[in-house]
Amino acid sequence: MAKEKTDLETKPLLAAFVEEPHYKWSGQPQRLKDIEFQGSYTCGHCGAEAPISVGWVAENENYSGFDYACIVICPACTLPTFMNRLGEQIPVPMPGRKLDGLPKNINDFYGEIRRCVQVEAYTAAATSCRTLLMHVAADKAERKSDIQKFGNFQECIAYLDEDIPASKKDVVDLIRTEGNAAVHDFKIFTKDEAFSLLTLIAFLLESVYLEY
């Protein structure tokens, strides 16, 4: 007798374990103010303030009743954003402050940390803050024509401690300690902890590069 197949054998793996919401999307863009989407939003791609005016609309029949969602296009970067009446937005606005005037390599790395927090990769953000300390030390040494071959993380921190104002050393130490917890103690970081580190690294970069 042939063995009867189970649901897991007859359904795709994703469909067997995940219930996806069923959105019925409009074929053409609509005026969003007519269905309670109004005002503006911060684009998670480029950071521009964009109006919520025209977009594609979907109705979603979920467990709590009938809900609406929409996709709008940012006029600045032309990239799409999903949002619904519950206040959810994907992608969310870029967290952290934009710092103009940083060296390109430092600014690019800082941007990576902000994007880690944006997509909820909080532990990756913590380890990256630690690594950014090494990049700052190497950059400062290069700008002073100070020939340094840092052999390890401790040497980078020691160099920073000698180079930055005493009032900023506690900030470096806190970023180092938290980063070490992620790297060596396998700590998993929360949203609040990642946001705190992002604030600290922004403060440090501003102090090192933009205040004097």
Side-chain angles (χ1 to χ4, degrees):
M1 179 181 294
K3 181 182 176 182
E4 185 177 349
K5 290 186 177 182
T6 66
D7 284 345
L8 291 182
E9 292 173 312
T10 58
K11 293 182 180 179
L13 186 61
L14 182 63
F17 288 98
V18 178
E19 285 192 61
E20 297 183 351
H22 298 284
Y23 288 107
K24 297 179 181 179
W25 290 96
S26 61
Q28 298 294 327
Q30 299 182 23
R31 290 170 56 87
L32 298 177
K33 69 177 183 178
D34 296 336
I35 54 168
E36 301 182 19
F37 287 103
Q38 302 181 49
S40 63
Y41 71 102
T42 302
C43 178
H45 301 285
C46 69
E49 279 293 312
I52 302 175
S53 55
V54 176
W56 286 264
V57 179
E59 296 175 341
N60 175 26
E61 189 173 5
N62 54 33
Y63 295 109
S64 61
F66 222 52
D67 192 16
Y68 290 97
C70 71
I71 291 177
V72 294
I73 304 299
C74 174
C77 67
T78 71
L79 293 175
T81 295
F82 170 91
M83 59 184 67
N84 61 26
R85 289 195 301 183
L86 301 177
E88 297 169 326
Q89 175 182 324
I90 302 173
V92 299
M94 183 78 75
R97 293 185 292 125
K98 183 179 178 182
L99 300 177
D100 295 321
L102 296 176
K104 184 179 185 307
N105 61 321
I106 301 298
N107 187 60
D108 288 347
F109 203 152
Y110 173 60
E112 288 187 20
I113 296 172
R114 294 177 69 197
R115 288 190 290 276
C116 281
V117 178
Q118 182 186 34
V119 300
E120 302 181 10
Y122 302 132
T123 304
T127 59
S128 295
C129 284
R130 176 185 186 272
T131 304
L132 184 51
L133 293 179
M134 302 173 67
H135 285 252
V136 172
D139 179 75
K140 295 289 285 182
E142 181 180 354
R143 288 172 181 275
K144 291 185 174 183
S145 298
D146 188 0
I147 300 176
Q148 289 282 334
K149 291 185 178 180
F150 299 116
N152 52 48
F153 179 66
Q154 287 77 14
E155 291 181 7
C156 291
I157 297 301
Y159 185 86
L160 275 182
D161 280 343
E162 294 177 0
D163 188 72
I164 64 175
S167 60
K168 307 300 187 296
K169 292 183 179 180
D170 287 345
V171 176
V172 171
D173 191 60
L174 184 54
I175 296 171
R176 174 192 65 81
T177 301
E178 290 295 286
N180 282 346
V183 173
H184 301 296
D185 301 331
F186 312 114
K187 177 180 177 180
I188 303 299
F189 277 71
T190 65
K191 177 181 179 178
D192 289 343
E193 290 170 331
F195 268 83
S196 294
L197 275 179
L198 181 59
T199 301
L200 286 174
I201 201 71
F203 172 75
L204 179 65
L205 294 176
E206 191 172 46
S207 300
V208 169
Y209 289 106
L210 305 179
E211 285 187 357
Y212 56 88

